[in-house]
């Protein structure tokens, strides 16, 4: 901080120069991100609600209503008539909340103290954060030949210390959907909390299924599912930060509640206290603006782009790791290691990421900012490298 105030124009000029160091979604060169540019309408609404705080909802009753409506709408999308939950910063916070609810529920009703958390080795790293924060032991499930959770492995790993099982609907590295229906049955039969991390797939799988895509059921229509993470700031096109955590029962929020005596509510269940209401307002606006029809069209366009890239890669001679289920494609050069290949692409201005689990591969997420013209440019560069 300088001693003297700076002129506003000078600050803006400096910020503009610094901002040039960032990649820009609109350029179509960010290929490894599960986030994308927010819709202009969502940004407009977000700014109108910047000063709202859902940590003290009695002061912002209108904004709290919007959060409740968003939770209800997402719950309905996921086959839940009456939903409970919150709009939070993202998938990480949502997953931590789910694990905390499971741990507290197991402590209260089962007396489990030193709990274990069963997750696939393909799970997002947020679960390692959750286990570290909540003093839980992680038990990793093997993957089958299709890079999905091995159901028999899940059965073997259940113990009297298991507080929760986690499965993924749209894995971070390969975009695959675990056998959630089978795992839900196992969790329900063993009276174990079951959480589905659908941060990536939650805003596309329902629409793709309705459009006729052969994708598995992953939602609350499965009686074993207790909570689901869904991120509106991914395929929902809401601004960052806008993650979502949806619970089947209110008691899962209640077992996390702590007293908040000086606020306008008696208790608080979220991890953070101060919570910006702008994310809820912007999400409310954009999901009503798009509706199911708009999101269905978007999801299908992204899948069309995914298949277009897949076919182009195969024509050149690249190796596809697995058949894409969602708008994420993993591939490899037959002779160049993924990390070396990623460096070559970066020198050409393409920002990709390298999947690690269960196999190293170049990972491209076909988000809304990647248009067909960008894919054509990428394929041309890939021909040159090949």
């Amino acid at each position: 901080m300088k001693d003297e105030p700076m002129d506003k124009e000078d600050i803006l000029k400096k910020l503009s120069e610094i901002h040039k160091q960032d990649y820009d979604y609109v350029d179509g060169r960010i290929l490894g991100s599960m986030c994308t540019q927010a819709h202009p309408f969502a940004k407009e609404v977000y700014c109108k609600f910047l000063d709202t705080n859902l940590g003290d909802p009695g002061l912002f009753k209108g904004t709290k209503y919007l959060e409740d409506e968003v939770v209800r709408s997402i719950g309905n999308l996921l086959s839940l008539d009456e939903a409970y939950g919150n709009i939070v910063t993202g998938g990480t916070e949502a997953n931590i909340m789910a694990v905390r609810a499971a741990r507290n529920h197991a402590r209260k009703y089962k007396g489990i103290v030193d709990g274990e958390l069963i997750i696939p080795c393909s799970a997002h790293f947020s679960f390692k954060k959750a286990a570290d924060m909540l003093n839980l032991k992680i038990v990793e499930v093997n993957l089958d030949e299709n890079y999905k959770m091995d159901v028999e492995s899940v059965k073997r790993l259940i113990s009297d210390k298991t507080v929760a099982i986690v499965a993924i609907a749209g894995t971070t590295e390969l975009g695959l959907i675990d056998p959630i229906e089978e795992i839900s049955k196992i969790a329900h039969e063993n009276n174990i909390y079951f959480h589905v991390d659908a941060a990536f797939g939650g805003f596309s799988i329902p629409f793709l299924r309705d459009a006729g895509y052969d994708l598995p059921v992953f939602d609350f229509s499965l009686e074993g599912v207790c909570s689901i993470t869904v991120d509106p700031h991914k395929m929902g096109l809401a601004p960052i930060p806008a993650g979502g955590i949806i619970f089947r029962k209110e008691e899962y929020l209640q077992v996390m509640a702590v007293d908040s005596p000086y606020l306008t509510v008696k208790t608080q269940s979220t991890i953070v206290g101060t919570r910006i209401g702008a994310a809820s307002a912007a999400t409310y606006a954009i999901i009503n603006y798009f509706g199911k029809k708009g999101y269905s069209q978007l999801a299908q366009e992204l899948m069309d782009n995914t298949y277009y890239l897949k076919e182009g890669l195969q024509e050149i001679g690249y190796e596809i790791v697995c058949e894409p289920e969602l708008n994420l494609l993993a591939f490899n050069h037959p002779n160049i290691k993924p990390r070396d290949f990623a460096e070559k692409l970066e020198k050409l201005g393409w920002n990709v990421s390298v999947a690690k689990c269960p196999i190293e591969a170049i990972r491209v997420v076909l988000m809304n900012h990647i248009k067909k013209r960008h894919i054509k440019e990428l394929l041309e560069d890939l021909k040159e490298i090949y």
Side-chain angles (χ1 to χ4, degrees):
M1 183 187 298
K2 296 180 179 297
D3 291 335
E4 298 296 325
M6 287 180 66
D7 181 75
K8 184 171 72 173
E9 294 303 317
D10 290 339
I11 295 171
L12 291 173
K13 183 178 179 181
K14 185 172 183 178
L15 288 172
S16 181
E17 289 299 314
I18 294 171
H19 193 26
K20 290 178 182 178
Q21 299 176 39
D22 298 340
Y23 276 87
D24 195 331
Y25 285 119
V26 75
D27 294 334
R29 296 261 163 170
I30 300 177
L31 303 180
S33 175
M34 284 182 160
C35 293
T36 187
Q37 62 194 59
H39 192 278
F41 180 46
K43 292 181 183 179
E44 178 186 345
V45 174
Y46 190 95
C47 290
K48 290 181 182 295
F49 286 79
L50 273 175
D51 295 326
T52 59
N53 174 20
L54 286 176
D56 206 354
L59 301 179
F60 305 97
K61 293 179 181 178
T63 308
K64 177 56 181 169
Y65 166 80
L66 295 178
E67 180 185 36
D68 292 342
E69 283 295 292
V70 170
V71 168
R72 182 188 62 80
S73 295
I74 297 176
N76 289 345
L77 179 67
L78 302 176
S79 304
L80 192 60
D81 292 333
E82 189 170 6
Y84 306 91
N86 296 101
I87 298 304
V88 294
T89 54
T92 292
E93 185 181 354
N95 287 336
I96 292 172
M97 279 186 68
V99 174
R100 181 168 174 243
R103 185 203 65 172
N104 289 9
H105 198 269
R107 277 184 177 178
K108 182 175 181 179
Y109 294 104
K110 295 183 179 180
I112 299 176
V113 178
D114 299 320
E116 296 178 348
L117 178 66
I118 296 178
I119 66 172
C121 62
S122 56
H124 188 259
F125 57 78
S126 56
F127 292 102
K128 293 182 178 178
K129 292 183 179 181
D132 181 52
M133 294 168 66
L134 299 168
N135 196 30
L136 296 173
K137 177 185 176 182
I138 282 183
V139 179
E140 284 193 341
V141 176
N142 295 327
L143 303 184
D144 61 21
E145 67 277 5
N146 297 313
Y147 308 126
K148 300 180 181 184
M149 287 180 78
D150 180 74
V151 175
E152 293 303 315
S153 181
V154 173
K155 293 178 181 177
R156 289 194 301 269
L157 293 173
I158 291 174
S159 74
D160 57 3
K161 293 185 177 181
T162 303
V163 301
I165 301 172
V166 173
I168 318 299
T171 54
T172 306
E173 312 224 29
L174 297 180
L176 300 176
I177 305 167
D178 285 327
I180 291 169
E181 187 168 3
E182 295 174 69
I183 298 169
S184 172
K185 291 178 181 177
I186 295 169
H188 186 68
E189 289 170 359
N190 288 274
N191 191 28
I192 295 172
Y193 189 104
F194 182 37
H195 174 65
V196 176
D197 179 6
F200 182 55
F203 251 95
S204 59
I205 298 172
F207 307 113
L208 292 173
R209 279 177 54 83
D210 286 347
Y213 283 73
D214 185 19
L215 295 175
V217 179
F218 76 102
D219 61 15
F220 289 105
S221 62
L222 305 173
E223 59 183 347
V225 175
C226 300
S227 57
I228 300 179
T229 289
V230 180
D231 276 2
H233 66 211
K234 291 185 170 71
M235 256 77 76
L237 301 187
I240 296 171
I245 177 65
I246 309 297
F247 292 102
R248 181 185 289 274
K249 300 176 182 178
E250 189 175 16
E251 69 182 68
Y252 295 133
L253 283 168
Q254 291 171 344
V255 294
M256 293 189 287
V258 298
D259 293 339
S260 50
Y262 65 90
L263 300 179
T264 54
V265 288
K266 294 179 180 179
T267 61
Q268 192 176 86
S269 299
T270 51
I271 292 171
V272 297
T274 302
R275 293 191 299 120
I276 188 169
S280 293
T283 302
Y284 175 87
I286 199 64
I287 63 176
N288 282 285
Y289 179 77
F290 271 92
K292 289 184 177 180
K293 185 176 180 179
Y295 279 126
S296 178
Q297 181 179 346
L298 172 62
Q300 291 179 72
E301 288 174 357
L302 297 181
M303 289 307 299
D304 288 344
N305 286 346
T306 303
Y307 295 137
Y308 181 81
L309 175 60
K310 173 179 174 284
E311 291 165 5
L313 289 168
Q314 289 175 320
E315 287 178 8
I316 300 170
Y318 285 93
E319 300 171 350
I320 305 301
V321 171
C322 57
E323 185 67 23
E325 289 187 308
L326 300 175
N327 50 307
L328 193 159
L329 189 65
F331 70 96
N332 275 319
H333 189 285
N335 302 313
I336 304 175
K337 292 181 179 179
R339 295 202 171 279
D340 295 335
F341 194 67
E343 289 180 8
K344 287 180 178 290
L345 288 172
E346 189 171 355
K347 289 177 182 177
L348 293 173
W350 299 103
N351 185 271
V352 299
S353 62
V354 178
K356 288 185 178 180
C357 178
I359 184 172
E360 281 205 353
I362 299 297
R363 171 181 166 277
V364 176
V365 191
L366 283 298
M367 295 299 288
N368 186 61
H369 60 273
I370 302 172
K371 308 302 181 184
K372 193 151 284 185
R373 69 180 185 275
H374 300 131
I375 299 173
K376 290 178 180 178
E377 292 172 8
L378 173 64
L379 289 170
E380 287 301 314
D381 283 346
L382 289 170
K383 283 181 185 177
E384 293 295 320
I385 298 175
Y386 196 84

